[in-house]
């Protein structure tokens, strides 16, 4: 049984590109750094284009934004720059690795759904006020 499972997962991982980040447990923020991590096998295309997608047009009106074109597939990871207008906020995002900007529907791999959160408040604004005790002598 154990051998069977191992063989199955080997077949799955040998198929093509897989995206391990971002993921449901490791999402992005509006300030970043936002990183895409993938694995590649020899039969995969040499490069791909990273697409940010969300089916909810109230979150992403265009439904998809190219984050980076012609990424070197052997790099294994890339910190993406925000699209024009910055990273949107919301849930239900996915990162798709697609063939190139002219073939956005030729999908090599897809991340799991993840969330993009607003940037955390500035550290300086979250310093708690120290209440000083009045010294009366
Ligand atoms: C991307 O890879 C394809 C083959 O998979 C190749 O024809 C093309 O020249 C590459 N483009 C860049 C910009 O590396
Ligand atoms: C956080 O700090 C930066 C630079 O100091 C500033 O431009 C930005 O407006 C601040 N954001 C908030 C939410 O205070």
């Amino acid at each position: 049984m154990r051998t069977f499972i191992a063989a199955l997962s080997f077949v799955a991982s040998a198929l093509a590109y897989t995206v391990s980040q971002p993921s449901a447990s490791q999402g992005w923020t509006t300030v970043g750094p936002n990183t895409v991590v993938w694995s590649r096998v020899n039969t995969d295309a040499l490069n791909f284009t990273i697409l940010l997608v969300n089916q909810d047009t109230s979150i992403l009106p265009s439904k998809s934004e190219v984050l980076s074109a012609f990424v070197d597939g052997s790099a294994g990871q890339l910190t993406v720059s925000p699209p024009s207008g910055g990273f949107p906020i919301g849930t239900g995002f996915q990162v798709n690795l697609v063939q190139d900007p002219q073939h956005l529907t030729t999908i090599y791999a897809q991340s799991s759904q993840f969330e993009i959160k607003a940037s955390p408040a500035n550290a300086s604004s979250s310093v708690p006020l120290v209440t000083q005790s009045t010294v009366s002598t």
Side-chain angles (χ1 to χ4, degrees):
M1 189 61 187
R2 195 169 282 180
T3 315
F4 179 61
I5 291 171
L8 262 189
S9 61
F10 173 77
V11 169
S13 66
L15 280 176
Y17 281 116
T18 52
V19 182
S20 58
Q21 250 189 72
S23 66
S25 59
Q26 184 135 30
W28 285 357
T29 67
T30 50
V31 285
N34 294 329
T35 306
V36 180
V37 180
W38 65 88
S39 58
R40 176 183 182 274
V41 298
N42 285 339
T43 49
D44 283 332
L46 296 175
N47 57 68
F48 53 78
T49 288
I50 298 177
L51 200 62
L52 178 70
V53 298
N54 196 319
Q55 297 309 311
D56 187 340
T57 53
S58 69
I59 295 174
L60 194 63
S62 59
K63 287 194 181 177
S64 72
E65 290 272 350
V66 172
L67 294 181
S68 202
F70 299 113
V71 177
D72 176 5
S74 64
Q77 68 174 64
L78 180 78
T79 300
V80 295
S81 344
S84 56
F87 284 106
I89 296 167
T91 57
F93 287 99
Q94 280 181 295
V95 160
N96 290 355
L97 308 189
V98 301
Q99 185 180 335
D100 58 49
Q102 280 71 49
H103 300 88
L104 299 181
T105 55
T106 305
I107 299 173
Y108 295 151
Q110 202 165 33
S111 74
S112 48
Q113 291 204 353
F114 66 97
E115 180 176 6
I116 300 180
K117 291 183 175 152
S119 60
N122 280 349
S124 57
S125 61
S126 62
V127 170
L129 288 172
V130 177
T131 310
Q132 293 189 335
S133 47
T134 314
V135 180
S136 51
T137 32

